[in-house]
Amino acid sequence: MVGPRCDEGAGRSPAKSVSGPAASGGKYKAGTSQKRVQSRSSKAGLQFPVGRVHRYLKRETLSTTRVGAKAAVYTAAVLEYLVAEVLELAGNAARDLKSKRISPRHLQLAIRGDDELDMLVKATIAGGGVIPHIHKQLLEKGKKSTQG
């Protein structure tokens, strides 16, 4: 039990207590339980840092523009979802190529293999190589040359 000891009486409060920093010698008042500090990421159930995303959002907007707290949570959740999606597809590509590590080649295959991610990511991935593609006319077995 926090507060008065059990042998002092359950219903009575302590005679006199000194409050403030001098009483406990620190940040917390004497007799109160110390509450664990919980990050905004853990409150939202995310792995991405909500505080850092909020700081970046505030830094990149105009000085007169305000950034709400929910904007950082939403942005961090979207970023976490996109990263999880890309990593899952890249992990599947690495497993198909019998590799235990995800390389830039696997990222390239994952992003270019998915239509929505391909539209979203227009950047060139360094070390990603090219997507294997053979034109369908080159695959035909010379049907036109034997007829003519």
Side-chain angles (χ1 to χ4, degrees):
M1 187 165 119
V2 179
R5 294 187 321 190
C6 293
D7 58 349
E8 290 180 353
R12 291 183 282 160
S13 61
K16 199 173 192 182
S17 66
V18 179
S19 64
S24 63
K27 187 174 179 179
Y28 300 99
K29 293 181 181 178
T32 60
S33 63
Q34 294 182 0
K35 189 174 181 183
R36 294 279 307 166
V37 177
Q38 193 176 18
S39 68
R40 288 195 279 173
S41 298
S42 62
K43 284 181 185 177
L46 299 174
Q47 298 297 318
F48 266 54
V50 174
R52 187 178 301 174
V53 170
H54 194 195
R55 186 176 73 232
Y56 289 160
L57 284 173
K58 287 192 297 185
R59 189 174 68 188
E60 295 301 321
T61 57
L62 299 173
S63 60
T64 58
T65 306
R66 297 171 67 180
V67 177
K70 291 180 183 177
V73 175
Y74 192 87
T75 306
V78 169
L79 288 173
E80 184 173 323
Y81 169 74
L82 288 174
V83 168
E85 189 73 24
V86 170
L87 282 178
E88 181 183 355
L89 293 172
N92 293 341
R95 190 179 62 235
D96 292 343
L97 295 174
K98 297 178 177 62
S99 175
K100 292 189 177 185
R101 291 184 183 169
I102 295 176
S103 67
R105 174 69 178 165
H106 303 137
L107 290 172
Q108 172 85 326
L109 291 173
I111 290 172
R112 303 299 170 223
D114 189 60
D115 294 334
E116 293 174 345
L117 284 175
D118 190 24
M119 285 191 306
L120 183 65
V121 179
K122 297 292 184 187
T124 302
I125 297 174
V130 296
I131 301 300
H133 175 71
I134 301 173
H135 200 274
K136 60 182 177 181
Q137 290 181 345
L138 295 174
L139 290 174
E140 294 176 359
K141 296 266 184 162
K143 294 179 183 176
K144 293 182 180 178
S145 63
T146 58
Q147 292 176 353

